[in-house]
Structures are given as C-alpha cells and as structure tokens.
Amino acid sequence: MSFFEFGFDDADDALDPSHIEQLVAAYEAQGSSAYFDSDTLEEIATYYYERGRFEDALGVIDRLLALHPTASDAWMRRGILLSHLGRHEEALQAYDRALSLNPTDTETLVNLGITLDNLGRFEEALQAYEQALQIDPLNDEIYYNLGITLERMDRLEEAVQALEEAARLNPDHPEVWYELGFCYDRLGDDERSLACYDRHLELDPYSADAWYNRGIVLNRMGRYREAVESYDYAIAIQEDFGSAWYNRGNALTNLGDLRGAIESYEKVLEIEGGDPATYYNIALAYEELQEYETAIRYFQLALEEDPAYAEAWYGLGCCYDALERFEEAIACMERAVTLQPETSEFWYAKADCEYNARRLQDALQSYRRVIELDPQNRDAWLDYAETLLEAGYVEESLQAYRQALTLNPDARAYIRQARALLALGRSEEGIRSLKMALRLDPSAKDELPEFYRDASIRRQLGLDG
C-alpha cells in the first residue's frame, strides 16, 4: 500500500535537475530569511520527499501553508508526510482540513484511507474508499487500496473482487497483479495465483518479491524445478535474499538434490547468521545422506540456538540410533517427548531406541503411549506385539496382533501372529494364521525359513511339493 503521488499537479516535470538542486541549496543556505514563491516551495518539498527526507519536506510544506493556508493540496501532502513519519493522528487532522477545503478530492480520501489502515482502523478506511468511489467510480487506485485493506482484514474474496476491478480498469498496474497473486495464494488457488504473478512479472520483471512468491506457489504445486528457477531469478535481483535461498534449499530437497540444498542453506547462514530452522534443515539433509556425524553437529547447532526445538532433539536421537549409540539416542528422545508429550512419532522413536537397547520394559511403556495417542497405528501395534512376545507376555502379544490385524489384515501381520501362537504351542491356530498369510500373499513363503525345519508345518502348508 502506497500513498498517491506526492508531486503537485502543476509541477514542472521537465525542470532541470541541476536547477532544482540549486534551489534547494539556496533554500538551505538562506532559510526563513529569504522569500520563495509557492511554485519553488512545491519543487523543493517534492525534492525532499523523493529522497526520503520527510522532516525537511514537512518544514517546506508548513512554510507553503503559511503563505496559502487554504491550499487543500498542501494540507493533503502534509498528511502524507506526517504518515511517513509515523505521526498518523496528526496526519488525519491534516486530511480533515484538506477535505474541509475540497470535499470531493479523491486523492485525499484515498490517502485518508491508507492512514486509517495503518492505524488498524479498517472499517473507517473502507468508508473513505467507498466515499471516493462515489465520486470517481472508475479510479483503479481506489479499488487497489480498497483491496489491500480488505486483504489485511482477511476478507480475501472481497479483496479479490476489488483487485480484479482495479485490473479491469488498468490492466498494466503491476502492483494490482502482485496483490491478486498474493490473495489467490492465501485462498489456495495456485493456478490463478501463478497466472497473476506471471502477469506482474511481465510488467515488472525485476520484482524479487514476485519471483520469490511465485517460487513458493510452484513448490506447493510440486513443480520443484520451476520453483528453483524462480528463486534463482529472485536471488539474481537481490543476492542477499535469505528467504529465497532458504526456500530454494527446500525445493532442491524435494528434488532429491541434497548437496545443492545444503549449499543453499549454508548461504542463508552466511547472510542471516545462526538460525535454528536452517541448521535443522542442513542436519536433515546430512541425515538423509547417512552422514550421521555431520548431521549430529548441525542438530546440536540448532539446539544451541533453541534448546526447546523438539524436532531437533528427535532428529539428533535418530542419528545416534543409526550409529547404534542407543543410550544417547534414548536421552534425546526423552527430551523430545518432554517438550511435545502428545506427539506419537516421538514416542514411537523412543520405543524403537529402547527396543534396540534391549530395554524391553521401557520400550513396552513407550509403545503403549504410542497406541494411546494413535490407536489406528497398525505398525505400532505390531511392534508392541513383537516386544511383548520377546518379553514373555505371549497372551498380551496375541491380543496386540489381533488388534493389528483388525486395522490391516496383511500377510506380514499374520506371520508374526503365527510365531506367537506356535510359541504358545497352539499349533492349529498358528497353521491357520500361516495359511491366511500365504493366501493373501503367496510370496510370503520367503519369510518363513524357520518353519521349513518342521516337517509337519511344511506338510500342512503344502510347502513340500
């Protein structure tokens, strides 16, 4: 959202820049002791404004108003300057004065709306825009600013309507297309969002933010290679665009280019310094590459930045588990479940680490917690059943296998149930379970080598032929 043009309607656009600089130098040298006519003061105020010297511009406007206290344009520009300086309440007073002198000035009404928006007084801002539209219903800038305020109010469908009208009235307004792209992005309409960003970039090809947002949409659409190309354009325009480097890394990760992703994430650290999320993503890439020691180092860096980063404790634990450093893995998983006790995935990993460390009683407690949090997790029921069986709780193991089979009756589960039944000496039920496994998946016989040693089992399963 930006204010209407600051320059005065009757300003001489062709004025020699060196001449303006001479006027400014004379004004600064002579100060209030010299006379400058209104045209000169307008040029000097515009000069200051365009260079961001808002306090200096305000002084010139106040001097102009001393000469012409009924100049509505000057009061409006005083409001613009005060808004830029964060003095919004004073700006509103200036706009009110301008409107008292010229009630039908749409520029003042729009700038009033922008300042009200900056103050979070959105409903009043909408009223100002609606009043402006009653005066000039074909003004694309009014619809544009109306759309921005509606967007900020999360009234996205209405924002789209206003911005579409602005685009209809002025198809070459680049910022309209940018904001439309953003609204459609938030509404989840990726195709329209992409089309709007593309149109914006036709009009403003050096918009780094638009290339970046376009990459976000493409990445969400699964068009990862195009997303990377879009981020590359954003970075070419603005090399220190940390978010573009970060999301480029995400897109490369989705493409499986983990080395390239790591390079992008390292660039983020170079630009923005230590950041837990970036350290974490680098660690995940190294973990995926099975370079566990390096992954551990980056998980630890993430945790130095944010000791409450539960996912980093989980990732660190997974790396220790992969290196068979089970006690360290369990300690990390303890931290993860303490920070996020309702995350079943963390409890499941903790249980697996405890199982690997042969701490079966601890593993059973953790598996129970997993199925409390996620009772539909068939794999957790199977692992729980297997651990119960190994710990000697055979009847409880059979109950867990039955629950797993209720959730998904596949061959693997039937084979594991058969082992428990045969261990209990319940041969007839065990054979039935094995037959069911082979009926569901004949290739499952490759998973039955221990049963081949028993001639009776081979014969009943028809494996001797």
Side-chain angles (χ1 to χ4, degrees):
M1 178 177 289
S2 58
F3 294 96
F4 266 14
E5 290 297 324
F6 183 85
F8 290 82
D9 293 338
D10 56 354
D12 185 355
D13 294 332
L15 198 61
D16 182 1
S18 63
H19 179 65
I20 298 174
E21 290 175 2
Q22 290 174 10
L23 290 175
V24 171
Y27 175 82
E28 293 177 352
Q30 298 175 39
S32 59
S33 62
Y35 172 80
F36 292 88
D37 62 29
S38 58
D39 289 344
T40 301
L41 291 172
E42 290 170 3
E43 293 292 345
I44 295 170
T46 303
Y47 175 92
Y48 284 140
Y49 177 82
E50 291 173 349
R51 287 154 181 79
R53 295 171 59 179
F54 302 127
E55 286 283 5
D56 292 331
L58 182 60
V60 178
I61 290 296
D62 284 344
R63 189 163 172 177
L64 179 59
L65 284 168
L67 293 173
H68 302 286
T70 60
S72 63
D73 276 1
W75 282 108
M76 181 190 73
R77 282 157 181 78
R78 188 174 199 276
I80 292 174
L81 291 166
L82 288 165
S83 285
H84 277 297
L85 291 166
R87 295 159 59 180
H88 299 302
E89 294 294 343
E90 293 176 76
L92 295 180
Q93 295 173 15
Y95 295 137
D96 286 344
R97 183 64 182 275
L99 289 169
S100 71
L101 296 165
N102 185 1
T104 62
D105 184 9
T106 56
E107 289 190 33
T108 301
L109 286 166
V110 171
N111 287 318
L112 171 63
I114 293 170
T115 298
L116 288 165
D117 180 289
N118 289 334
L119 286 167
R121 293 161 60 175
F122 300 127
E123 291 294 343
E124 293 172 83
L126 296 182
Q127 292 173 13
Y129 300 138
E130 293 296 343
Q131 188 177 344
L133 284 172
Q134 290 174 13
I135 299 165
D136 186 359
L138 300 179
N139 189 315
D140 61 282
E141 283 291 339
I142 303 173
Y143 280 106
Y144 168 69
N145 285 285
L146 173 63
I148 297 295
T149 296
L150 288 166
E151 178 189 309
R152 282 163 55 83
M153 298 173 75
D154 288 327
R155 291 163 58 175
L156 297 176
E157 291 85 356
E158 294 171 83
V160 165
Q161 291 177 6
L163 292 166
E164 290 281 12
E165 183 62 18
R168 186 187 69 79
L169 292 167
N170 182 4
D172 295 329
H173 191 317
E175 293 309 313
V176 168
W177 292 107
Y178 179 92
E179 295 300 335
L180 268 172
F182 184 71
C183 286
Y184 280 127
D185 181 356
R186 291 185 60 195
L187 288 167
D189 192 337
D190 293 334
E191 291 291 350
R192 281 197 174 96
S193 176
L194 184 61
C196 290
Y197 283 131
D198 284 343
R199 176 60 181 147
H200 170 83
L201 288 164
E202 289 175 10
L203 299 166
D204 183 6
Y206 295 100
S207 173
D209 287 338
W211 284 111
Y212 169 75
N213 287 357
R214 181 178 183 271
I216 297 290
V217 175
L218 286 164
N219 192 67
R220 190 168 57 240
M221 295 171 76
R223 294 162 62 175
Y224 304 126
R225 180 59 59 192
E226 292 171 84
V228 171
E229 292 171 356
S230 205
Y231 296 132
D232 284 341
Y233 278 112
I235 291 163
I237 296 164
Q238 183 183 331
E239 189 176 358
D240 63 348
F241 199 156
S243 295
W245 283 107
Y246 182 87
N247 284 282
R248 182 179 188 271
N250 292 345
L252 288 169
T253 298
N254 290 330
L255 285 168
D257 183 0
L258 297 175
R259 299 288 180 192
I262 289 168
E263 289 179 8
S264 287
Y265 294 137
E266 291 284 6
K267 190 68 176 179
V268 177
L269 297 176
E270 179 184 322
I271 294 167
E272 299 183 350
D275 168 65
T278 305
Y279 284 136
Y280 174 77
N281 281 1
I282 296 173
L284 287 180
Y286 278 118
E287 182 186 3
E288 185 71 18
L289 291 165
Q290 299 184 2
E291 297 181 22
Y292 298 116
E293 294 290 355
T294 306
I296 285 169
R297 179 163 58 86
Y298 278 97
F299 279 128
Q300 289 172 336
L301 287 170
L303 289 165
E304 286 176 13
E305 294 288 328
D306 182 5
Y309 200 159
E311 289 81 2
W313 284 112
Y314 166 75
L316 182 59
C318 289
C319 289
Y320 282 133
D321 185 50
L323 293 170
E324 300 185 358
R325 293 161 61 177
F326 300 128
E327 293 301 328
E328 291 167 280
I330 292 168
C332 291
M333 297 306 179
E334 288 279 7
R335 295 292 295 270
V337 299
T338 299
L339 290 164
Q340 292 187 15
E342 303 302 310
T343 302
S344 64
E345 182 183 6
F346 294 170
W347 283 102
Y348 202 163
K350 179 175 179 286
D352 286 345
C353 292
E354 289 162 340
Y355 177 87
N356 291 335
R358 309 313 296 161
R359 289 167 52 174
L360 297 186
Q361 295 301 323
D362 292 335
L364 287 173
Q365 290 183 21
S366 295
Y367 284 130
R368 287 188 196 103
R369 182 61 177 149
V370 176
I371 56 182
E372 285 173 9
L373 293 168
D374 185 8
Q376 302 302 308
N377 189 328
R378 197 287 303 264
D379 289 338
W381 279 104
L382 283 175
D383 288 334
Y384 178 48
E386 191 79 15
T387 307
L388 284 165
L389 183 61
E390 289 192 35
Y393 305 111
V394 184
E395 285 293 346
E396 293 90 335
S397 172
L398 288 174
Q399 293 175 17
Y401 280 127
R402 281 194 286 271
Q403 181 61 35
L405 286 165
T406 300
L407 294 170
N408 183 11
D410 69 352
R412 173 170 163 252
Y414 274 109
I415 290 169
R416 293 173 73 172
Q417 177 184 250
R419 290 193 180 102
L421 289 165
L422 292 169
L424 275 174
R426 293 159 62 171
S427 301
E428 186 175 336
E429 293 173 80
I431 294 298
R432 277 204 305 269
S433 190
L434 289 173
K435 285 182 176 179
M436 182 61 73
L438 293 174
R439 189 175 302 128
L440 289 169
D441 181 6
S443 68
K445 66 181 181 180
D446 297 334
E447 298 184 33
L448 309 177
E450 72 268 35
F451 300 119
Y452 281 86
R453 291 189 292 272
D454 189 311
S456 174
I457 293 176
R458 289 200 312 273
R459 184 174 60 257
Q460 290 180 75
L461 293 178
L463 297 175
D464 284 334

